[in-house]
Amino acid sequence: MSTLSSAPPLWLRDNCPCAECRDPRNGQKLFQITDLPAGLAVDAVLDTLTADGAPAREVVWTPDGHRSVYADTWLDAHLPGSPAGPGDGRGEDDKELWDAAGLAGRFPEAEWSAYTADPAVAAGALESVMRFGFVLLRGVPVRDRQVLEVARTFGFVRETNYGELFEVRVEADPNNLAFTGARITPHTDNPYRDPVPTLQLLHCLSNAAREGDSGLVDGFHAAALLRAEDPQAYEVLTRVPVPFTFADDRTALVAHRPLIGTDPAGRIREIRFNNRSIGTLRRPAEELDAFYAAYRRFGELLSRPELQLEFRLAPGDCLIFDNTRLLHARTAFAESGDRHLQGTYADIDGLASTLAVLRRKAVTA
Amino acid sequence: MSTLSSAPPLWLRDNCPCAECRDPRNGQKLFQITDLPAGLAVDAVLDTLTADGAPAREVVWTPDGHRSVYADTWLDAHLPGSPAGPGDGRGEDDKELWDAAGLAGRFPEAEWSAYTADPAVAAGALESVMRFGFVLLRGVPVRDRQVLEVARTFGFVRETNYGELFEVRVEADPNNLAFTGARITPHTDNPYRDPVPTLQLLHCLSNAAREGDSGLVDGFHAAALLRAEDPQAYEVLTRVPVPFTFADDRTALVAHRPLIGTDPAGRIREIRFNNRSIGTLRRPAEELDAFYAAYRRFGELLSRPELQLEFRLAPGDCLIFDNTRLLHARTAFAESGDRHLQGTYADIDGLASTLAVLRRKAVTA
């Protein structure tokens, strides 16, 4: 634990909670970092109390004479050397990585009636999306466009070229293989979008087809396995931008992003994997060799049986999953069979916000 | 230029254009990278013609005997060693960086009537957003919710906690300083969202207030200047995740992202800069010192007068700008003055797609 006087002055001052520095109405900072005087330093530290009567320190600043009051509890939690705070919930360190066996007996699911009536059930379901990458809501009304209502329980629909809502069923003139009876191997959706839709919802309206079963794979877990088993292949996949493309009469999308997206500390944050939409890489031959060897190796790893979580969607099931982490798949089915899902996209930042507000209410209730 | 036989086999085969490998209906790839046989190699290369009668090579593959026909024009453009193809339009290399003087005499703008009637004018306006980061549409009908119609000319509205549409005017109980008369220094919006909304639209309905002028700064240009002038500060800002936060009664958003986001090759791709919503960094003291010195230096650089493009929005003006690149600002105005903008968010991948389709039509027209 550092002492207060050894805290970096700009950092400490930037966290001044006084009403002159932060708008009391909304907590937003009222000054620019460039407004702070050159040579800013702590002139004196006095024992005091906060407005709520909690023990605190008052810092008198030089050269401008500003005074800042920091609660001792805040200082204990935030001074340099105190434990690292939580992440933003999006990187591999904030997740519980899984294989199929690891979820045995604790498949993340919730009943729609309880989800909508009980904030604790809702929080548990949203927590599953953050932690495992998905939740299956059961007993959702089998109603046209209901999937949009599900999305609006926690966030905002992300409209795309597939519409506000898309129909997953056999189409006469499909612009995407999803709209045929073909087997679809594990993939993420819309890798040719940047920003990619971070959540997908699939609501089953009917599923009388033989086969057409669903599968999920934890892409973070697969990427972590690749890193352990073949660090060079992993490194190539974090480094090489892949041109993902999609085109039809009304659309021409392209995004150049790596298969494994990492944060600045090199931790896994986003998976894009979709064989259908990888365009032509243009790189020197030796880089293409290295990329394709790594891509194939990752593909083999993603298809390991122990990573496939398989289940069957029944009418009324609505799957909500993290499209930046989980890959989804389905087995082939007869095009004559009756299988109809409605899907939509949304974003996980809104879901995380709704979860945080539910937790805040649980604490204050 | 490599010869065809020296091309990496997996790369070449992954680009096979035959109907067995790609769905002729939608161009999507029908095989997995893991479906290709081990030991894949070119067995023979024969001169041939494409179905359209263009000169081509036919590759016979071993061990599976598959045959692939590649047009010579495709090989010339794509074989390893051929010129690098275009980027995805999003990184610094795809942009024209600017300062205020650099845009003198070529302020990107278009008349709404021409924009909606003439695809060439529309393409020019959208091209300005990709190239300079913004365009100003003039003469847009001064109508409630019209800004949503503007967004729908090129893409999809991104709803957020501020609504589908937000009102920029003086509010009685503002949850954000934007909704006061305060001066707002150059910033990007919603840095506490991930994915951040990549486009913002601001439509002026009235502006009778004294002051309340608008400003834009090219954040890519500023970051490139920082890299040239102080490479260590630049490197710190690409590396340190900053906790951006926003909270009100219904919302609790957090994203840990660097101020300067780079692609895997280290090129500038995304700027986040918003003093109002930077939370408390938790790092060792020496890292906080380095971050705050770099943050302040970047802040000083962003406020250099020569970088500020200043103009005044008149009723009927609608500004469309890249929220991952440009910072926007406004001068303070009297809260009694009549100034009313309506804003919305959208995404630039959809705008780039609309531009590409307009260009495609122009070529085939």
Side-chain angles (χ1 to χ4, degrees):
Chain A
M1 174 66 68
S2 341
T3 62
L4 195 157
S5 56
S6 69
L10 280 171
W11 172 83
L12 187 61
R13 176 66 172 267
D14 197 39
N15 284 287
C16 176
C18 84
E20 203 177 300
C21 289
R22 283 175 186 272
D23 190 312
R25 297 174 293 188
N26 50 47
Q28 295 200 315
K29 222 167 276 183
L30 291 165
F31 62 94
Q32 311 303 313
I33 192 69
T34 48
D35 292 339
L36 299 181
L40 183 73
V42 172
D43 193 29
V45 179
L46 314 167
D47 286 334
T48 185
L49 297 174
T50 66
D52 299 335
R57 313 291 181 87
E58 180 169 28
V59 170
V60 184
W61 294 97
T62 180
D64 65 352
H66 188 77
R67 287 166 177 261
S68 306
V69 174
Y70 303 95
D72 285 0
T73 51
W74 187 90
L75 291 169
D76 288 345
H78 294 90
L79 275 179
S82 57
D88 65 359
R90 302 289 287 279
E92 60 175 309
D93 299 331
D94 295 323
K95 309 295 188 184
E96 181 175 339
L97 309 191
W98 53 263
D99 58 16
L103 288 184
R106 51 175 194 152
F107 188 93
E109 58 189 329
E111 281 296 323
W112 175 251
S113 55
Y115 173 84
T116 52
D118 183 347
V121 173
L126 301 182
E127 166 67 24
S128 292
V129 179
M130 297 307 293
R131 183 171 168 197
F132 301 113
F134 74 103
V135 73
L136 183 61
L137 299 181
R138 308 266 197 194
V140 177
V142 177
R143 246 193 328 240
D144 184 45
R145 302 177 67 79
Q146 175 70 25
V147 69
L148 300 175
E149 296 309 312
V150 177
R152 290 180 187 124
T153 61
F154 58 76
F156 307 104
V157 167
R158 175 100 78 92
E159 190 176 353
T160 71
N161 54 299
Y162 299 105
E164 188 179 39
L165 174 152
F166 53 90
E167 311 279 357
V168 185
R169 62 185 168 194
V170 174
E171 300 275 356
D173 186 23
N175 69 348
N176 192 301
L177 290 175
F179 312 139
T180 70
R183 170 187 173 222
I184 306 279
T185 53
H187 67 284
T188 65
D189 264 23
N190 281 260
Y192 36 77
R193 283 207 172 272
D194 186 22
V196 74
T198 50
L199 283 179
Q200 184 171 169
L201 289 82
L202 288 171
H203 180 215
C204 180
L205 297 179
S206 66
N207 194 4
R210 286 193 60 213
E211 306 294 333
D213 291 353
S214 298
L216 292 172
V217 174
D218 184 353
F220 281 16
H221 179 53
L225 285 174
L226 182 69
R227 180 174 55 201
E229 296 178 10
D230 190 342
Q232 287 187 320
Y234 171 84
E235 193 275 335
V236 165
L237 297 188
T238 63
R239 190 173 41 74
V240 174
V242 173
F244 289 102
T245 63
F246 177 85
D248 65 12
D249 289 350
R250 298 175 303 115
T251 308
L253 288 159
V254 56
H256 291 196
R257 304 299 286 157
L259 296 190
I260 303 173
T262 54
D263 68 19
R267 306 299 290 169
I268 301 163
R269 195 171 169 96
E270 184 175 290
I271 304 294
R272 295 186 190 229
F273 193 91
N274 192 319
N275 72 296
R276 282 172 285 154
S277 51
I278 291 190
T280 300
L281 280 82
R282 301 185 190 209
R283 317 278 298 182
E286 60 279 13
E287 290 185 30
L288 291 175
D289 262 332
F291 171 79
Y292 268 93
Y295 170 35
R296 182 167 172 146
R297 180 137 191 177
F298 193 35
E300 287 165 354
L301 207 159
L302 286 165
S303 55
R304 286 184 190 166
E306 64 269 27
L307 266 60
Q308 318 300 311
L309 183 70
E310 287 167 352
F311 52 96
R312 187 173 174 81
L313 291 178
D317 286 351
C318 184
L319 184 66
I320 305 170
F321 62 95
D322 180 348
N323 187 50
T324 67
R325 173 182 172 193
L326 298 201
L327 294 82
H328 62 292
R330 69 149 188 254
T331 58
F333 61 96
E335 298 213 349
S336 58
D338 175 31
R339 184 177 189 274
H340 184 195
L341 313 181
Q342 286 186 329
T344 192
Y345 298 110
D347 282 305
I348 197 167
D349 52 0
L351 184 149
S353 169
T354 300
L355 174 58
V357 171
L358 284 169
R359 283 178 175 154
R360 188 203 284 163
K361 286 179 181 161
V363 168
T364 58
Chain B
M1 173 67 66
S2 344
T3 63
L4 194 157
S5 56
S6 70
L10 281 172
W11 172 84
L12 187 62
R13 176 66 173 268
D14 198 39
N15 283 287
C16 176
C18 85
E20 202 177 302
C21 288
R22 282 175 186 273
D23 190 314
R25 296 174 293 188
N26 50 48
Q28 294 200 317
K29 222 167 275 180
L30 291 166
F31 62 93
Q32 312 303 314
I33 192 69
T34 49
D35 293 339
L36 299 180
L40 184 74
V42 172
D43 194 30
V45 179
L46 315 167
D47 287 335
T48 186
L49 298 173
T50 66
D52 299 335
R57 310 293 179 86
E58 179 169 29
V59 170
V60 184
W61 294 96
T62 181
D64 66 352
H66 187 79
R67 288 166 176 262
S68 304
V69 174
Y70 304 95
D72 285 1
T73 50
W74 186 89
L75 291 169
D76 288 347
H78 294 89
L79 274 180
S82 57
D88 65 359
R90 302 287 287 279
E92 61 175 309
D93 298 330
D94 295 323
K95 308 295 188 185
E96 182 175 340
L97 308 191
W98 53 261
D99 57 18
L103 288 185
R106 51 175 193 150
F107 188 92
E109 58 189 329
E111 281 295 325
W112 175 250
S113 55
Y115 173 84
T116 52
D118 183 346
V121 173
L126 301 183
E127 166 68 24
S128 292
V129 178
M130 296 307 295
R131 184 172 167 195
F132 300 113
F134 74 103
V135 72
L136 184 60
L137 299 181
R138 307 265 197 196
V140 178
V142 177
R143 248 194 322 243
D144 183 44
R145 302 178 67 79
Q146 175 70 25
V147 69
L148 300 175
E149 296 308 312
V150 177
R152 290 182 188 124
T153 61
F154 59 76
F156 307 103
V157 167
R158 175 98 78 91
E159 190 177 353
T160 72
N161 53 300
Y162 299 106
E164 189 180 39
L165 174 152
F166 52 89
E167 311 279 356
V168 185
R169 62 185 170 195
V170 174
E171 300 276 354
D173 186 23
N175 69 349
N176 191 302
L177 290 175
F179 312 140
T180 70
R183 169 187 174 225
I184 306 280
T185 53
H187 67 284
T188 65
D189 264 23
N190 281 262
Y192 37 76
R193 283 206 171 273
D194 184 22
V196 74
T198 50
L199 283 179
Q200 184 171 170
L201 288 81
L202 288 172
H203 180 216
C204 181
L205 297 179
S206 65
N207 194 4
R210 284 192 59 213
E211 307 294 334
D213 291 353
S214 298
L216 291 172
V217 174
D218 184 354
F220 280 16
H221 179 53
L225 286 174
L226 182 68
R227 181 174 55 201
E229 296 177 10
D230 190 342
Q232 287 187 319
Y234 171 84
E235 193 275 335
V236 164
L237 297 189
T238 63
R239 192 172 41 76
V240 174
V242 174
F244 289 102
T245 63
F246 177 85
D248 66 12
D249 289 348
R250 299 174 303 112
T251 308
L253 287 160
V254 55
H256 292 196
R257 305 298 287 158
L259 297 189
I260 302 174
T262 54
D263 68 19
R267 306 299 290 167
I268 301 163
R269 194 170 170 99
E270 183 176 290
I271 303 295
R272 295 187 191 228
F273 193 91
N274 191 318
N275 73 299
R276 281 173 285 153
S277 52
I278 291 189
T280 301
L281 279 81
R282 301 186 189 207
R283 317 278 299 182
E286 61 278 13
E287 291 185 30
L288 291 175
D289 264 331
F291 171 80
Y292 268 94
Y295 170 34
R296 183 169 172 144
R297 180 135 192 179
F298 193 35
E300 288 165 354
L301 208 158
L302 285 164
S303 55
R304 285 184 191 167
E306 64 269 29
L307 266 59
Q308 317 299 313
L309 182 71
E310 287 167 351
F311 52 96
R312 187 174 173 80
L313 290 178
D317 286 352
C318 184
L319 184 65
I320 305 170
F321 61 95
D322 181 347
N323 187 51
T324 68
R325 174 182 171 193
L326 298 200
L327 293 82
H328 61 292
R330 69 149 190 254
T331 58
F333 61 95
E335 297 212 350
S336 57
D338 175 33
R339 184 178 189 272
H340 184 194
L341 314 182
Q342 285 186 328
T344 192
Y345 298 110
D347 281 305
I348 197 167
D349 52 1
L351 183 149
S353 170
T354 300
L355 174 58
V357 171
L358 285 169
R359 283 177 175 155
R360 189 203 284 163
K361 286 179 180 160
V363 168
T364 57

